[in-house]
Amino acid sequence: MNKTKIFISVTVISLGFFGFTFSAGATTYISSLPFNANQAGETYVLASDLSLNSGNAITISANNIVIDGNGHEIRYAEAGSGYGININTTFTSLEIKNLKLTQGNYEPQTNEYVHGIIRGGNFSGLKIHHNTISINHGGAVSGSGGRGIYLTGFTANSSGNEIYSNIFNTVGSSGSNSTISISPSGVPVNGFKIYDNNITANVGYPVISIGGSDSEIYNNTITVNSSIAGNNINAIGVGTWNASNGNTNTIIRNNTINLGGINSRAILLNGNSDNNKVYSNVINMTSQNTSGYNSSGIRLRYGADNNEIYSNTIDATGCTGNCIPIRYGGDEINQWNSNNNNSFHDNILTSASHVISVEGGALSSNFYRNTINVLGSANAIYILGGGIPSETIDNLSFSHETINGNKKISISKYPLDGTGSVGNITFCENGISQSDITQNSGVGAVSITSTPCAYGETGTAPDTTPPAAPTGLAIQ
């Protein structure tokens, strides 16, 4: 006996305030904008390329939602301000993928913003991946801007969040645009991962800026090509401007950063950022600094304690003006704590400027086994501080450094009648002599020894000799 199978397909058509949709099961296709994704557990798929003159292209107002761009593009803010995706609900699961999200032709005005993806409030379980996000305008008018991803205002712990395998292009006319900005209101971020992204930015603000704790930023390629001069141009900025609440336990590793711009920094640990690790990053500095500006490969300042900076390669060969691979300390606004117990080791550093610069507020910190390649007549190590108590420099050691080229070391207290101090600096097993060190009359104790520094660095490289092959194990 023959059996006939009958399949019944049901399509539900609805017309709502946010536009036409047609649904099949748990998948809803988006065919017009604006659109409200408001069904928990639903997958929303873009049916075609879409555009919107102003307002929010997609609003997410339910938990456990997937937005699948299906390879299509949303152009938003074509003629007025608005966001690409506005998340206006607390959620524990949200995925945004396979979408090309492009901010259009509109130049935002004062108090207008054109962020690609924004969430202002609590969340967790966020996955943003395999998207292309472009911000094309923002900041030409004071008080305006646009960020690729802007997560802010959350007051509860957030965990299980990942931003990965995206392409970002961010352009801005002032310091108000950035690519990824995560700024909790004084709570841990707990395990935010940002990895495998390709970012090109011409902005005057941090490309990746993150506050909170316990995050990891790795395997990203970041190119900064900014013609804007400003203190906020960082490829990766970690920390906060809050003097009592910084960033802790964050790992920044295996990133490739091509640092252009003016007065720019590849990696900044800022504002009481403690217990972080920065390692195995490759930083190529091509900044074009004019008079009064300088760029840094890695900078620590404003009360950053117990951080470890190691195995990074920072090359400033193609950089113009003051280009400093490692810059440590500095209290330009005189309100922050000193920096304590930081270590810098096994880095390869090349520059025609100061290769290592230590400024006011650097205490009880160690440099060891770094390779310092000095181009021309620059200082291998430059130390300056002591103007006020918070700019004191004390108890520093430099051990077993390899210095290629000029071995010049400059140590100064400025001004000489400053209320801070500079001293207790030790150089161990560095192959330098007293004639390599220039210091002014305000500097305290400086010593040179031919033995390892007392804090425990042995001055010897790790044993890389493989063990001998075992013998006598042949099968009889």
Side-chain angles (χ1 to χ4, degrees):
M1 182 177 65
N2 295 328
K3 295 183 180 180
T4 302
K5 295 182 180 180
I6 301 175
F7 296 89
I8 301 175
S9 176
V10 178
T11 299
V12 179
I13 300 176
S14 64
L15 183 63
F17 177 79
F18 285 95
F20 172 79
T21 70
F22 55 95
S23 302
T27 299
T28 296
Y29 289 84
I30 303 173
S31 61
S32 65
L33 301 174
F35 183 84
N36 186 13
N38 59 6
Q39 295 297 314
E42 197 86 353
T43 294
Y44 294 90
V45 180
L46 213 63
S48 63
D49 294 349
L50 299 172
S51 66
L52 186 69
N53 283 333
S54 62
N56 302 326
I58 295 177
T59 298
I60 296 175
S61 53
N63 188 29
N64 192 25
I65 277 178
V66 175
I67 301 293
D68 186 349
N70 196 26
H72 293 298
E73 180 181 22
I74 289 177
R75 289 185 62 88
Y76 70 98
E78 290 277 30
S81 65
Y83 305 139
I85 297 178
N86 178 34
I87 308 165
N88 70 356
T89 186
T90 300
F91 61 87
T92 59
S93 177
L94 172 61
E95 184 177 12
I96 301 171
K97 63 181 181 178
N98 303 327
L99 174 64
K100 185 176 182 181
L101 190 59
T102 304
Q103 186 255 321
N105 297 314
Y106 182 69
E107 184 68 58
Q109 304 299 298
T110 301
N111 296 324
E112 290 183 341
Y113 296 90
V114 287
H115 307 312
I117 299 172
I118 182 171
R119 167 59 182 154
N122 296 331
F123 66 91
S124 61
L126 175 63
K127 304 290 189 293
I128 301 175
H129 62 94
H130 293 95
N131 304 285
T132 299
I133 300 177
S134 300
I135 304 296
N136 299 315
H137 297 280
V141 177
S142 178
S144 68
R147 298 173 181 178
I149 298 174
Y150 187 30
L151 308 173
T152 186
F154 43 105
T155 58
N157 289 359
S158 182
S159 62
N161 306 297
E162 298 182 36
I163 299 173
Y164 62 95
S165 299
N166 301 285
I167 298 172
F168 294 91
N169 296 284
T170 311
V171 176
S173 302
S174 76
S176 55
N177 283 34
S178 63
T179 302
I180 300 171
S181 180
I182 303 170
S183 54
S185 298
V187 297
V189 177
N190 287 350
F192 218 114
K193 293 185 176 182
I194 302 172
Y195 59 95
D196 291 340
N197 298 287
N198 193 316
I199 301 172
T200 302
N202 186 350
V203 296
Y205 214 68
V207 177
I208 298 176
S209 175
I210 186 166
S213 302
D214 302 294
S215 293
E216 191 170 6
I217 302 170
Y218 60 98
N219 290 348
N220 300 286
T221 299
I222 303 172
T223 300
V224 179
N225 295 313
S226 180
S227 59
I228 305 162
N231 283 323
N232 289 326
I233 305 174
N234 312 307
I236 300 175
V238 173
T240 176
W241 286 98
N242 184 330
S244 62
N245 178 47
N247 186 288
T248 61
N249 300 319
T250 288
I251 293 173
I252 302 173
R253 65 172 177 87
N254 298 102
N255 300 285
T256 298
I257 301 174
N258 302 303
L259 183 71
I262 303 171
N263 213 40
S264 51
R265 293 169 288 264
I267 298 174
L268 173 67
L269 300 187
N270 199 45
N272 292 301
S273 293
D274 303 334
N275 303 304
N276 304 292
K277 293 182 182 294
V278 179
Y279 63 91
S280 299
N281 299 284
V282 176
I283 299 172
N284 301 302
M285 299 178 65
T286 59
S287 306
Q288 304 298 304
N289 295 301
T290 54
S291 178
Y293 293 111
N294 59 74
S295 293
S296 307
I298 297 175
R299 185 169 188 194
L300 277 70
R301 66 178 184 182
Y302 301 167
D305 301 334
N306 304 309
N307 299 288
E308 187 178 9
I309 313 299
Y310 62 99
S311 299
N312 301 283
T313 299
I314 307 175
D315 188 349
T317 302
C319 192
T320 299
N322 291 322
C323 306
I324 306 167
I326 289 182
R327 187 178 179 192
Y328 177 39
D331 187 14
E332 294 92 335
I333 53 179
N334 302 328
Q335 71 178 51
W336 299 87
N337 299 320
S338 297
N339 307 277
N340 294 270
N341 300 313
N342 296 291
S343 64
F344 305 79
H345 63 90
D346 297 293
N347 301 287
I348 300 173
L349 313 171
T350 304
S351 182
S353 301
H354 312 314
V355 181
I356 295 175
S357 178
V358 181
E359 302 169 24
L363 306 175
S364 301
S365 296
N366 308 307
F367 295 77
Y368 59 95
R369 287 200 309 261
N370 298 291
T371 299
I372 301 173
N373 298 313
V374 184
L375 306 178
S377 59
N379 291 301
I381 300 169
Y382 177 81
I383 300 172
L384 173 66
I388 58 176
S390 66
E391 293 182 348
T392 288
I393 296 176
D394 185 73
N395 193 23
L396 301 183
S397 63
F398 296 82
S399 180
H400 213 262
E401 316 286 14
T402 299
I403 303 177
N404 300 311
N406 189 358
K407 290 182 169 62
K408 184 168 64 175
I409 297 169
S410 174
I411 308 174
S412 300
K413 177 182 175 180
Y414 183 83
L416 287 174
D417 61 353
T419 54
S421 63
V422 177
N424 296 315
I425 302 170
T426 305
F427 297 90
C428 318
E429 291 192 315
N430 294 298
I432 63 170
S433 63
Q434 190 63 52
S435 62
D436 295 315
I437 299 177
T438 301
Q439 64 187 74
N440 68 10
S441 60
V443 175
V446 176
S447 61
I448 301 174
T449 76
S450 58
T451 58
C453 289
Y455 64 87
E457 198 280 305
T458 64
T460 59
D463 183 8
T464 58
T465 304
T471 60
L473 299 180
I475 299 174
Q476 300 298 323

